[in-house]
Amino acid sequence: MGQVIHAIQDDYADDFAWCFGCGRLNENGYHFRTYWNGEHTETVYEPNEQHIAIPGFVYGGLIGSLIDCHGTGSAALALHRKNGFEPGSGEVPPRFVTGSLHVDFLKPTPHGVALKVVGKVEEIHPKKWKVMSEVYAGDVLCAKGEVIAVVMPASFAQ
Amino acid sequence: MGQVIHAIQDDYADDFAWCFGCGRLNENGYHFRTYWNGEHTETVYEPNEQHIAIPGFVYGGLIGSLIDCHGTGSAALALHRKNGFEPGSGEVPPRFVTGSLHVDFLKPTPHGVALKVVGKVEEIHPKKWKVMSEVYAGDVLCAKGEVIAVVMPASFAQ
């Protein structure tokens, strides 16, 4: 306990740390942070008071965004580990983009508690990873997600 | 042209007009507005300067949110029409929630232009509609989406 948790987004190169979802340099973004918890990845986030679908329930688009950035972050964690590194090691991790995003909304997600996303990462190609995620509000599984994350292609470089 | 375009979200009941994506009463939300253009549905939105994945390209979570609310709005337009009504008729439309959301990101989406989502709606059950969407930046098709939208269940009523 009391450990400093190293998130992968803390180590993204400055040029790639502007994402509205998970970029530490995006002033008004969500600042999602994704890290290892044993063999799973985790992202915890408490939606703000505006992030509602209807009063009392979390906005689905926020849940989709959370699964999206959790997916690219989890893939980056996994490839970084495969390369022999962990967040906080001082090594700049690979950066992924989302190829596809799928979300199944299982239950209305209650507003006012932190959401925890738990991810399992699977390599399907050295540059293409699948991240299966579950979104919990407390103990309640509210949504499931799948992201196909792809190593950022050169077309993103300006 | 100079027509007034009636969006379905303009007519949602007040209690269900707080969505961060498309609720007209959510002060800090996106205020997505979805309307008929012939047999297709449309939502146009220009991401703000913070909505980036990396500088120059739109944040995928915003595109997911856009497809999500466009999906529920399109389903509401279609069921409303099936019931004999159009937006602006004074009749309160049905309200849908998202059962599932799928997005395929085809190309990096350039930032700085309005995005147009074009939707095709299909009834798969009186309370369950499928919305296939295409997201364009100018003439370029950047993403495709599929939403299964479900008439809001009673469990959402508080």
Side-chain angles (χ1 to χ4, degrees):
Chain A
M1 315 303 286
Q3 299 163 282
V4 174
I5 293 176
H6 290 291
I8 193 74
Q9 291 90 351
D10 301 345
D11 292 354
Y12 284 168
D14 282 358
D15 283 354
F16 303 121
W18 295 94
C19 173
F20 187 73
C22 65
R24 65 181 181 279
L25 301 177
N26 191 314
E27 222 171 284
N28 296 321
Y30 299 140
H31 300 147
F32 299 143
R33 295 175 75 247
T34 307
Y35 46 85
W36 286 114
N37 185 352
E39 292 306 304
H40 291 90
T41 58
E42 263 183 27
T43 306
V44 172
Y45 182 76
E46 182 157 353
N48 76 23
E49 59 193 11
Q50 306 278 343
H51 292 145
I52 55 172
I54 65 166
F57 298 103
V58 176
Y59 171 49
L62 190 274
I63 294 168
S65 298
L66 188 49
I67 288 172
D68 186 348
C69 290
H70 172 79
T72 50
S74 295
L77 281 165
L79 178 52
H80 206 37
R81 177 169 281 185
K82 185 186 171 194
N83 291 340
F85 303 106
E86 297 293 322
S89 67
E91 195 72 20
V92 174
R95 187 76 168 83
F96 282 75
V97 295
T98 311
S100 69
L101 165 70
H102 185 89
V103 183
D104 287 312
F105 295 95
L106 307 176
K107 290 191 182 169
T109 302
H111 192 269
V113 295
L115 303 179
K116 179 155 88 174
V117 192
V118 179
K120 211 176 77 177
V121 193
E122 188 186 315
E123 179 175 354
I124 51 182
H125 175 279
K127 292 190 169 187
K128 205 170 179 182
W129 298 64
K130 180 162 85 170
V131 183
M132 308 294 296
S133 297
E134 296 183 330
V135 181
Y136 292 89
D139 291 335
V140 182
L141 177 61
C142 296
K144 284 189 176 194
E146 183 185 301
V147 162
I148 303 296
V150 181
V151 173
M152 187 178 280
S155 56
F156 267 93
Q158 291 190 283
Chain B
M1 311 308 281
Q3 299 164 282
V4 174
I5 292 175
H6 290 291
I8 192 74
Q9 291 90 352
D10 301 344
D11 292 355
Y12 283 167
D14 282 355
D15 283 354
F16 302 121
W18 296 93
C19 174
F20 187 74
C22 65
R24 66 181 180 278
L25 301 176
N26 191 314
E27 222 170 284
N28 297 320
Y30 300 139
H31 300 146
F32 299 143
R33 295 175 74 247
T34 307
Y35 46 85
W36 286 114
N37 184 353
E39 292 306 304
H40 290 92
T41 58
E42 263 182 28
T43 306
V44 172
Y45 183 75
E46 183 157 351
N48 75 24
E49 58 192 13
Q50 306 278 343
H51 291 145
I52 55 172
I54 65 165
F57 298 102
V58 176
Y59 171 49
L62 191 274
I63 295 168
S65 299
L66 187 49
I67 288 172
D68 185 350
C69 289
H70 172 80
T72 51
S74 295
L77 281 165
L79 178 52
H80 207 36
R81 177 169 281 183
K82 185 185 170 195
N83 291 339
F85 303 106
E86 296 293 323
S89 68
E91 194 73 21
V92 174
R95 186 75 167 86
F96 281 76
V97 295
T98 311
S100 68
L101 165 69
H102 186 88
V103 183
D104 287 312
F105 295 95
L106 307 176
K107 287 189 186 174
T109 302
H111 192 267
V113 295
L115 302 180
K116 178 154 90 173
V117 193
V118 179
K120 211 177 75 177
V121 193
E122 188 185 317
E123 180 175 354
I124 51 181
H125 174 280
K127 293 191 169 185
K128 205 172 179 178
W129 298 63
K130 181 163 83 170
V131 183
M132 308 294 296
S133 298
E134 296 182 330
V135 181
Y136 292 89
D139 291 335
V140 182
L141 176 61
C142 296
K144 286 190 173 192
E146 183 185 301
V147 162
I148 303 296
V150 182
V151 173
M152 189 178 278
S155 56
F156 267 93
Q158 292 191 281

Coordinates of all heavy atoms in Angstrom, one line a residue, chain B residues 66-151:
Chain B
L66 N -20.1 11.3 -30.3 CA -21.0 11.8 -31.3 C -21.8 10.7 -32.0 O -23.0 10.8 -32.2 CB -20.0 12.4 -32.3 CG -20.5 13.3 -33.5 CD1 -21.5 14.3 -33.1 CD2 -19.3 13.9 -34.2
I67 N -21.2 9.6 -32.2 CA -21.9 8.4 -32.8 C -23.0 7.9 -31.9 O -24.1 7.5 -32.3 CB -20.9 7.3 -33.2 CG1 -20.1 7.8 -34.4 CG2 -21.6 6.0 -33.5 CD1 -18.9 6.9 -34.8
D68 N -22.6 7.9 -30.6 CA -23.5 7.4 -29.6 C -24.8 8.3 -29.5 O -25.9 7.7 -29.7 CB -22.8 7.5 -28.2 CG -23.6 6.9 -27.1 OD1 -24.8 6.6 -27.2 OD2 -23.0 6.7 -26.0
C69 N -24.7 9.6 -29.3 CA -25.9 10.4 -29.2 C -26.6 10.5 -30.6 O -27.8 10.7 -30.6 CB -25.5 11.8 -28.7 SG -25.1 11.8 -27.0
H70 N -25.8 10.5 -31.7 CA -26.5 10.5 -33.0 C -27.3 9.3 -33.1 O -28.4 9.3 -33.7 CB -25.4 10.5 -34.1 CG -25.9 10.3 -35.5 ND1 -26.5 11.3 -36.2 CD2 -25.9 9.2 -36.2 CE1 -26.8 10.9 -37.4 NE2 -26.5 9.6 -37.4
G71 N -26.8 8.2 -32.5 CA -27.6 6.9 -32.6 C -28.9 6.9 -31.9 O -29.9 6.6 -32.4
T72 N -28.8 7.4 -30.6 CA -30.1 7.5 -29.8 C -31.0 8.5 -30.4 O -32.2 8.3 -30.5 CB -29.8 7.8 -28.4 OG1 -29.0 8.9 -28.2 CG2 -29.1 6.6 -27.7
G73 N -30.5 9.6 -30.9 CA -31.3 10.6 -31.5 C -31.9 10.1 -32.8 O -33.1 10.4 -33.1
S74 N -31.2 9.4 -33.6 CA -31.7 8.9 -34.9 C -32.8 7.9 -34.6 O -33.8 7.9 -35.4 CB -30.6 8.2 -35.7 OG -29.6 9.2 -36.1
A75 N -32.6 7.0 -33.6 CA -33.7 6.0 -33.3 C -34.9 6.8 -32.8 O -36.1 6.4 -33.2 CB -33.2 5.1 -32.2
A76 N -34.8 7.8 -32.1 CA -35.9 8.6 -31.6 C -36.6 9.3 -32.8 O -37.9 9.2 -32.8 CB -35.5 9.6 -30.6
L77 N -35.9 9.8 -33.7 CA -36.5 10.4 -34.9 C -37.3 9.3 -35.7 O -38.4 9.6 -36.1 CB -35.4 10.9 -35.9 CG -34.7 12.2 -35.6 CD1 -33.4 12.4 -36.4 CD2 -35.7 13.4 -35.8
A78 N -36.7 8.1 -35.8 CA -37.4 7.1 -36.6 C -38.7 6.6 -35.9 O -39.7 6.4 -36.6 CB -36.4 6.0 -36.9
L79 N -38.6 6.3 -34.6 CA -39.8 5.8 -33.9 C -40.9 6.9 -33.9 O -42.1 6.7 -34.0 CB -39.4 5.3 -32.5 CG -40.6 4.8 -31.7 CD1 -41.5 3.8 -32.4 CD2 -40.1 4.3 -30.3
H80 N -40.4 8.2 -33.7 CA -41.3 9.3 -33.7 C -42.1 9.4 -35.0 O -43.3 9.6 -35.1 CB -40.5 10.6 -33.4 CG -41.3 11.7 -32.8 ND1 -42.2 11.5 -31.8 CD2 -41.2 13.1 -33.0 CE1 -42.7 12.7 -31.4 NE2 -42.1 13.7 -32.1
R81 N -41.3 9.2 -36.1 CA -41.9 9.3 -37.5 C -42.9 8.1 -37.6 O -44.0 8.3 -38.2 CB -40.8 9.3 -38.5 CG -41.4 9.2 -40.0 CD -40.3 9.5 -41.0 NE -39.9 10.9 -41.1 CZ -39.1 11.4 -42.0 NH1 -38.4 10.6 -42.8 NH2 -38.9 12.7 -42.0
K82 N -42.5 6.9 -37.2 CA -43.3 5.8 -37.2 C -44.7 6.0 -36.5 O -45.7 5.6 -36.9 CB -42.6 4.5 -36.6 CG -43.4 3.2 -36.8 CD -42.7 2.1 -36.1 CE -43.6 0.9 -36.0 NZ -43.1 -0.1 -35.1
N83 N -44.6 6.8 -35.4 CA -45.8 7.1 -34.6 C -46.6 8.3 -35.2 O -47.6 8.7 -34.7 CB -45.4 7.5 -33.2 CG -44.8 6.3 -32.4 OD1 -45.1 5.2 -32.7 ND2 -44.1 6.6 -31.3
G84 N -46.0 8.8 -36.3 CA -46.8 9.9 -37.1 C -46.4 11.3 -36.8 O -47.1 12.2 -37.1
F85 N -45.2 11.4 -36.1 CA -44.8 12.8 -35.7 C -43.4 13.1 -36.3 O -42.5 12.3 -36.5 CB -44.7 12.9 -34.2 CG -46.1 12.6 -33.6 CD1 -46.2 11.4 -32.9 CD2 -47.1 13.5 -33.7 CE1 -47.5 11.1 -32.3 CE2 -48.4 13.1 -33.1 CZ -48.5 12.0 -32.4
E86 N -43.2 14.4 -36.4 CA -41.9 15.0 -36.8 C -41.4 15.9 -35.7 O -42.2 16.5 -34.9 CB -42.0 15.7 -38.1 CG -42.4 14.9 -39.3 CD -41.3 13.9 -39.7 OE1 -40.1 14.2 -39.6 OE2 -41.6 12.7 -40.1
P87 N -40.1 16.2 -35.6 CA -39.6 17.2 -34.6 C -40.3 18.5 -34.9 O -40.5 18.9 -36.1 CB -38.1 17.3 -34.8 CG -37.8 16.0 -35.5 CD -39.0 15.5 -36.3
G88 N -40.6 19.2 -33.9 CA -41.3 20.5 -34.1 C -42.8 20.5 -34.1 O -43.5 21.5 -34.2
S89 N -43.3 19.2 -34.0 CA -44.8 19.0 -34.1 C -45.4 19.3 -32.8 O -46.7 19.4 -32.7 CB -45.1 17.6 -34.5 OG -44.7 16.7 -33.5
G90 N -44.6 19.5 -31.7 CA -45.2 19.7 -30.4 C -45.4 18.5 -29.6 O -45.7 18.5 -28.4
E91 N -45.2 17.3 -30.2 CA -45.4 16.0 -29.6 C -44.0 15.6 -28.9 O -43.0 15.7 -29.6 CB -45.8 15.0 -30.6 CG -46.3 13.7 -30.0 CD -47.7 13.9 -29.4 OE1 -48.4 14.9 -29.8 OE2 -48.1 13.1 -28.6
V92 N -44.0 15.2 -27.7 CA -42.8 14.7 -27.1 C -42.3 13.4 -27.6 O -43.1 12.4 -27.7 CB -42.9 14.6 -25.5 CG1 -41.7 14.0 -24.9 CG2 -43.2 16.0 -24.9
P93 N -41.1 13.3 -28.1 CA -40.6 12.1 -28.8 C -40.2 11.0 -27.8 O -40.0 11.3 -26.6 CB -39.4 12.5 -29.6 CG -38.9 13.7 -28.9 CD -40.1 14.4 -28.2
P94 N -40.1 9.8 -28.2 CA -39.6 8.7 -27.3 C -38.1 9.0 -27.1 O -37.5 9.7 -27.8 CB -39.7 7.4 -28.2 CG -39.8 7.9 -29.6 CD -40.4 9.3 -29.6
R95 N -37.6 8.4 -26.0 CA -36.2 8.6 -25.6 C -35.5 7.3 -25.5 O -36.1 6.3 -24.9 CB -36.2 9.3 -24.2 CG -34.8 9.7 -23.7 CD -34.3 11.0 -24.5 NE -33.2 11.6 -23.8 CZ -31.9 11.2 -24.0 NH1 -31.7 10.2 -24.8 NH2 -30.9 11.7 -23.3
F96 N -34.4 7.2 -26.2 CA -33.7 5.9 -26.3 C -32.4 6.0 -25.4 O -31.9 7.1 -25.1 CB -33.3 5.7 -27.7 CG -34.4 5.1 -28.6 CD1 -35.4 5.9 -29.0 CD2 -34.4 3.8 -28.9 CE1 -36.4 5.4 -29.8 CE2 -35.4 3.2 -29.7 CZ -36.4 4.1 -30.2
V97 N -31.9 4.8 -25.0 CA -30.6 4.7 -24.4 C -29.8 3.8 -25.3 O -30.3 3.1 -26.2 CB -30.6 4.2 -23.0 CG1 -31.3 5.2 -22.1 CG2 -31.3 2.8 -22.9
T98 N -28.5 3.8 -25.1 CA -27.6 3.0 -25.9 C -27.4 1.6 -25.3 O -27.0 1.4 -24.2 CB -26.2 3.7 -26.0 OG1 -26.4 5.0 -26.3 CG2 -25.3 3.0 -27.0
G99 N -27.7 0.6 -26.1 CA -27.5 -0.8 -25.7 C -26.0 -1.2 -26.0 O -25.3 -1.8 -25.2
S100 N -25.6 -0.9 -27.2 CA -24.2 -1.1 -27.6 C -23.7 0.0 -28.6 O -24.5 0.6 -29.3 CB -24.0 -2.5 -28.1 OG -24.6 -2.6 -29.4
L101 N -22.4 0.2 -28.6 CA -21.8 1.2 -29.4 C -20.6 0.5 -30.1 O -19.8 -0.1 -29.4 CB -21.3 2.3 -28.6 CG -20.3 3.3 -29.2 CD1 -21.0 4.2 -30.3 CD2 -19.8 4.3 -28.1
H102 N -20.5 0.6 -31.4 CA -19.3 0.1 -32.1 C -18.8 1.2 -33.0 O -19.5 1.9 -33.7 CB -19.6 -1.1 -32.9 CG -18.3 -1.7 -33.5 ND1 -17.5 -2.6 -32.8 CD2 -17.7 -1.5 -34.6 CE1 -16.5 -2.9 -33.5 NE2 -16.5 -2.2 -34.6
V103 N -17.5 1.5 -33.0 CA -16.8 2.5 -33.8 C -15.6 1.8 -34.5 O -14.8 1.3 -33.8 CB -16.4 3.7 -33.0 CG1 -15.8 4.8 -34.0 CG2 -17.5 4.3 -32.2
D104 N -15.6 2.0 -35.8 CA -14.3 1.7 -36.6 C -13.7 3.0 -37.0 O -14.3 3.8 -37.7 CB -14.7 0.8 -37.8 CG -15.0 -0.6 -37.4 OD1 -14.3 -1.2 -36.6 OD2 -16.1 -1.1 -37.9
F105 N -12.5 3.2 -36.5 CA -11.7 4.4 -36.9 C -11.0 4.1 -38.2 O -10.0 3.3 -38.2 CB -10.8 4.8 -35.8 CG -11.6 5.2 -34.5 CD1 -11.8 4.3 -33.5 CD2 -12.1 6.5 -34.3 CE1 -12.5 4.6 -32.3 CE2 -12.8 6.8 -33.2 CZ -13.0 5.9 -32.2
L106 N -11.4 4.7 -39.3 CA -10.8 4.4 -40.6 C -9.6 5.2 -40.9 O -8.7 4.7 -41.5 CB -11.9 4.6 -41.7 CG -13.2 3.9 -41.4 CD1 -14.2 4.2 -42.5 CD2 -13.0 2.3 -41.3
K107 N -9.6 6.4 -40.5 CA -8.5 7.4 -40.8 C -8.4 8.3 -39.6 O -9.4 8.7 -39.0 CB -8.9 8.2 -42.0 CG -8.8 7.4 -43.3 CD -8.9 8.3 -44.5 CE -9.0 7.5 -45.7 NZ -9.3 8.2 -46.9
P108 N -7.2 8.9 -39.4 CA -7.0 10.0 -38.5 C -8.0 11.1 -38.9 O -8.0 11.5 -40.1 CB -5.6 10.4 -38.7 CG -4.9 9.2 -39.2 CD -5.9 8.5 -40.1
T109 N -8.8 11.6 -38.0 CA -9.8 12.6 -38.3 C -9.2 14.0 -38.1 O -8.8 14.4 -36.9 CB -11.0 12.5 -37.3 OG1 -11.5 11.1 -37.5 CG2 -12.1 13.5 -37.6
P110 N -9.1 14.8 -39.1 CA -8.4 16.1 -39.0 C -9.2 17.0 -38.1 O -10.4 17.1 -38.1 CB -8.4 16.6 -40.4 CG -9.5 15.9 -41.2 CD -9.6 14.5 -40.5
H111 N -8.5 17.8 -37.3 CA -9.1 18.8 -36.4 C -9.3 20.1 -37.1 O -8.5 20.4 -38.0 CB -8.2 19.0 -35.1 CG -8.9 19.7 -34.1 ND1 -8.8 21.1 -33.9 CD2 -9.7 19.3 -33.1 CE1 -9.5 21.5 -32.9 NE2 -10.1 20.4 -32.3
G112 N -10.3 20.9 -36.7 CA -10.4 22.2 -37.3 C -11.5 22.3 -38.4 O -11.7 23.4 -39.0
V113 N -12.2 21.2 -38.6 CA -13.4 21.3 -39.5 C -14.6 20.7 -38.8 O -14.4 19.9 -37.9 CB -13.2 20.5 -40.9 CG1 -12.1 21.2 -41.7 CG2 -12.9 19.1 -40.6
A114 N -15.8 21.1 -39.2 CA -17.0 20.5 -38.7 C -17.1 19.0 -39.1 O -16.7 18.7 -40.2 CB -18.2 21.2 -39.1
L115 N -17.5 18.2 -38.2 CA -17.8 16.7 -38.5 C -19.2 16.6 -38.8 O -20.1 17.1 -38.1 CB -17.4 15.9 -37.4 CG -15.9 16.0 -36.9 CD1 -15.6 15.0 -35.7 CD2 -14.9 15.7 -38.0
K116 N -19.5 15.8 -39.9 CA -20.9 15.5 -40.2 C -21.1 14.0 -40.0 O -20.4 13.2 -40.6 CB -21.3 15.9 -41.6 CG -22.7 15.6 -41.9 CD -23.3 16.5 -43.0 CE -23.0 16.0 -44.4 NZ -23.7 16.8 -45.4
V117 N -22.1 13.6 -39.2 CA -22.5 12.2 -39.1 C -23.8 12.0 -39.9 O -24.7 12.7 -39.7 CB -22.7 11.8 -37.6 CG1 -22.8 10.3 -37.4 CG2 -21.7 12.4 -36.7
V118 N -23.7 11.0 -40.7 CA -24.9 10.6 -41.5 C -25.4 9.2 -41.1 O -24.5 8.3 -41.0 CB -24.5 10.6 -43.0 CG1 -25.7 10.2 -43.9 CG2 -24.0 12.0 -43.4
G119 N -26.6 9.1 -40.8 CA -27.1 7.8 -40.2 C -28.3 7.2 -41.0 O -29.1 7.9 -41.7
K120 N -28.3 5.9 -40.9 CA -29.4 5.1 -41.5 C -30.0 4.2 -40.4 O -29.2 3.6 -39.7 CB -28.8 4.2 -42.6 CG -29.7 3.8 -43.7 CD -28.9 3.0 -44.8 CE -28.8 1.5 -44.3 NZ -28.2 0.6 -45.3
V121 N -31.3 4.3 -40.3 CA -31.9 3.7 -39.1 C -32.7 2.4 -39.6 O -33.4 2.5 -40.6 CB -32.9 4.6 -38.4 CG1 -33.3 4.1 -37.1 CG2 -32.3 6.0 -38.2
E122 N -32.7 1.4 -38.8 CA -33.4 0.2 -39.1 C -34.1 -0.4 -37.9 O -33.4 -0.5 -36.8 CB -32.3 -0.8 -39.6 CG -32.8 -2.1 -40.2 CD -31.6 -3.1 -40.4 OE1 -30.6 -2.6 -41.0 OE2 -31.7 -4.3 -40.1
E123 N -35.3 -0.7 -38.0 CA -36.0 -1.3 -36.8 C -35.7 -2.7 -36.7 O -35.9 -3.5 -37.7 CB -37.6 -1.0 -37.0 CG -38.4 -1.6 -35.8 CD -39.9 -1.3 -36.0 OE1 -40.3 -0.5 -36.9 OE2 -40.6 -1.8 -35.1
I124 N -35.3 -3.2 -35.5 CA -35.1 -4.6 -35.4 C -36.0 -5.2 -34.4 O -36.1 -6.4 -34.2 CB -33.6 -5.0 -35.0 CG1 -33.1 -4.1 -33.8 CG2 -32.7 -4.7 -36.2 CD1 -31.6 -4.5 -33.5
H125 N -36.8 -4.3 -33.7 CA -37.8 -4.7 -32.7 C -38.5 -3.4 -32.4 O -37.8 -2.3 -32.5 CB -37.1 -5.3 -31.5 CG -38.0 -5.6 -30.4 ND1 -38.4 -4.7 -29.5 CD2 -38.6 -6.8 -30.0 CE1 -39.2 -5.2 -28.6 NE2 -39.3 -6.5 -28.8
P126 N -39.8 -3.4 -32.1 CA -40.4 -2.1 -31.8 C -39.7 -1.2 -30.8 O -39.7 0.0 -30.8 CB -41.8 -2.5 -31.3 CG -42.1 -3.8 -31.9 CD -40.7 -4.5 -32.0
K127 N -38.9 -1.8 -29.9 CA -38.2 -1.1 -28.8 C -36.7 -1.1 -29.0 O -35.9 -0.7 -28.1 CB -38.5 -1.6 -27.4 CG -40.0 -1.4 -27.0 CD -40.2 -1.7 -25.6 CE -41.6 -1.2 -25.1 NZ -41.8 -1.4 -23.7
K128 N -36.2 -1.6 -30.2 CA -34.8 -1.8 -30.4 C -34.5 -1.4 -31.8 O -35.0 -2.1 -32.8 CB -34.5 -3.2 -30.1 CG -33.0 -3.5 -29.7 CD -32.9 -4.9 -29.3 CE -31.6 -5.3 -28.9 NZ -31.5 -6.7 -28.4
W129 N -33.7 -0.4 -32.0 CA -33.4 0.1 -33.4 C -31.9 0.1 -33.6 O -31.1 0.4 -32.7 CB -33.9 1.5 -33.6 CG -35.4 1.5 -33.5 CD1 -36.2 1.2 -32.3 CD2 -36.4 1.8 -34.5 NE1 -37.5 1.3 -32.6 CE2 -37.7 1.7 -33.9 CE3 -36.3 2.2 -35.8 CZ2 -38.8 1.9 -34.6 CZ3 -37.4 2.4 -36.5 CH2 -38.7 2.3 -36.0
K130 N -31.5 -0.2 -34.8 CA -30.1 -0.2 -35.2 C -29.8 1.1 -36.0 O -30.5 1.4 -37.0 CB -29.7 -1.4 -36.0 CG -28.2 -1.5 -36.4 CD -27.8 -2.9 -36.8 CE -28.2 -3.2 -38.2 NZ -27.5 -4.5 -38.7
V131 N -28.7 1.8 -35.7 CA -28.3 3.0 -36.4 C -26.9 2.8 -37.0 O -26.0 2.7 -36.2 CB -28.4 4.2 -35.5 CG1 -28.1 5.5 -36.4 CG2 -29.8 4.4 -34.9
M132 N -26.8 2.8 -38.3 CA -25.4 2.7 -38.9 C -25.0 4.1 -39.3 O -25.8 4.9 -39.9 CB -25.5 1.9 -40.2 CG -26.2 0.5 -40.1 SD -25.2 -0.6 -39.1 CE -23.8 -0.8 -40.1
S133 N -23.8 4.5 -38.9 CA -23.4 5.9 -39.1 C -22.1 6.0 -39.8 O -21.2 5.1 -39.7 CB -23.3 6.6 -37.7 OG -24.6 6.7 -37.1
E134 N -21.9 7.1 -40.5 CA -20.7 7.4 -41.1 C -20.3 8.9 -40.7 O -21.1 9.8 -40.7 CB -20.8 7.4 -42.7 CG -21.1 6.0 -43.2 CD -21.1 5.9 -44.7 OE1 -21.5 6.9 -45.3 OE2 -20.8 4.8 -45.2
V135 N -19.0 9.0 -40.3 CA -18.5 10.3 -39.9 C -17.6 10.9 -40.9 O -16.6 10.3 -41.2 CB -17.8 10.2 -38.5 CG1 -17.3 11.6 -38.0 CG2 -18.7 9.5 -37.5
Y136 N -18.0 12.1 -41.4 CA -17.2 12.8 -42.4 C -16.5 14.0 -41.9 O -17.2 14.8 -41.1 CB -18.1 13.2 -43.6 CG -18.6 12.0 -44.4 CD1 -19.8 11.4 -44.0 CD2 -17.9 11.5 -45.5 CE1 -20.3 10.3 -44.7 CE2 -18.4 10.4 -46.2 CZ -19.6 9.8 -45.8 OH -20.1 8.8 -46.5
A137 N -15.3 14.2 -42.3 CA -14.6 15.5 -42.1 C -14.5 16.1 -43.5 O -13.6 15.6 -44.3 CB -13.3 15.3 -41.4
G138 N -15.3 17.1 -43.8 CA -15.3 17.5 -45.2 C -15.9 16.3 -46.0 O -16.9 15.7 -45.7
D139 N -15.2 15.9 -47.1 CA -15.6 14.8 -47.9 C -15.0 13.5 -47.5 O -15.3 12.4 -48.1 CB -15.2 15.0 -49.4 CG -15.9 16.2 -50.0 OD1 -17.1 16.5 -49.5 OD2 -15.4 16.8 -50.9
V140 N -14.2 13.5 -46.5 CA -13.4 12.3 -46.1 C -14.1 11.5 -45.1 O -14.5 12.0 -44.0 CB -12.0 12.7 -45.6 CG1 -11.2 11.4 -45.3 CG2 -11.3 13.5 -46.6
L141 N -14.4 10.2 -45.4 CA -15.0 9.3 -44.4 C -13.9 8.9 -43.4 O -13.0 8.2 -43.8 CB -15.6 8.1 -45.2 CG -16.2 7.0 -44.3 CD1 -17.4 7.5 -43.5 CD2 -16.7 5.8 -45.2
C142 N -14.1 9.3 -42.2 CA -13.1 9.0 -41.2 C -13.4 7.9 -40.2 O -12.5 7.2 -39.6 CB -12.8 10.3 -40.4 SG -12.1 11.6 -41.4
A143 N -14.7 7.6 -40.0 CA -15.1 6.6 -39.0 C -16.5 6.1 -39.4 O -17.3 6.8 -40.0 CB -15.1 7.2 -37.6
K144 N -16.7 4.8 -39.0 CA -18.1 4.2 -39.2 C -18.5 3.8 -37.8 O -17.7 3.3 -37.0 CB -18.0 3.0 -40.1 CG -17.9 3.4 -41.6 CD -18.1 2.2 -42.4 CE -18.1 2.6 -43.9 NZ -18.6 1.5 -44.7
G145 N -19.8 3.9 -37.6 CA -20.3 3.5 -36.3 C -21.6 2.7 -36.4 O -22.3 2.8 -37.4
E146 N -21.9 1.9 -35.3 CA -23.1 1.2 -35.2 C -23.6 1.3 -33.8 O -22.8 1.0 -32.8 CB -23.0 -0.3 -35.6 CG -24.3 -1.0 -35.6 CD -24.2 -2.5 -35.8 OE1 -23.7 -2.9 -36.9 OE2 -24.6 -3.3 -34.9
V147 N -24.8 1.7 -33.6 CA -25.4 1.8 -32.3 C -26.7 1.0 -32.3 O -27.5 1.0 -33.2 CB -25.8 3.3 -31.9 CG1 -26.8 3.4 -30.8 CG2 -24.5 4.1 -31.6
I148 N -26.8 0.1 -31.2 CA -28.1 -0.5 -30.9 C -28.8 0.4 -29.9 O -28.2 0.5 -28.8 CB -28.0 -1.9 -30.5 CG1 -27.2 -2.8 -31.5 CG2 -29.3 -2.5 -30.1 CD1 -27.9 -3.0 -32.8
A149 N -29.9 1.0 -30.2 CA -30.6 1.9 -29.3 C -31.8 1.3 -28.8 O -32.5 0.6 -29.6 CB -30.9 3.2 -30.1
V150 N -32.1 1.4 -27.6 CA -33.2 0.7 -26.9 C -34.1 1.8 -26.2 O -33.6 2.8 -25.6 CB -32.7 -0.2 -25.8 CG1 -33.8 -1.0 -25.2 CG2 -31.6 -1.2 -26.5
V151 N -35.4 1.6 -26.3 CA -36.3 2.6 -25.7 C -36.0 2.6 -24.2 O -35.7 1.5 -23.6 CB -37.8 2.2 -25.9 CG1 -38.7 3.1 -25.0 CG2 -38.1 2.3 -27.4

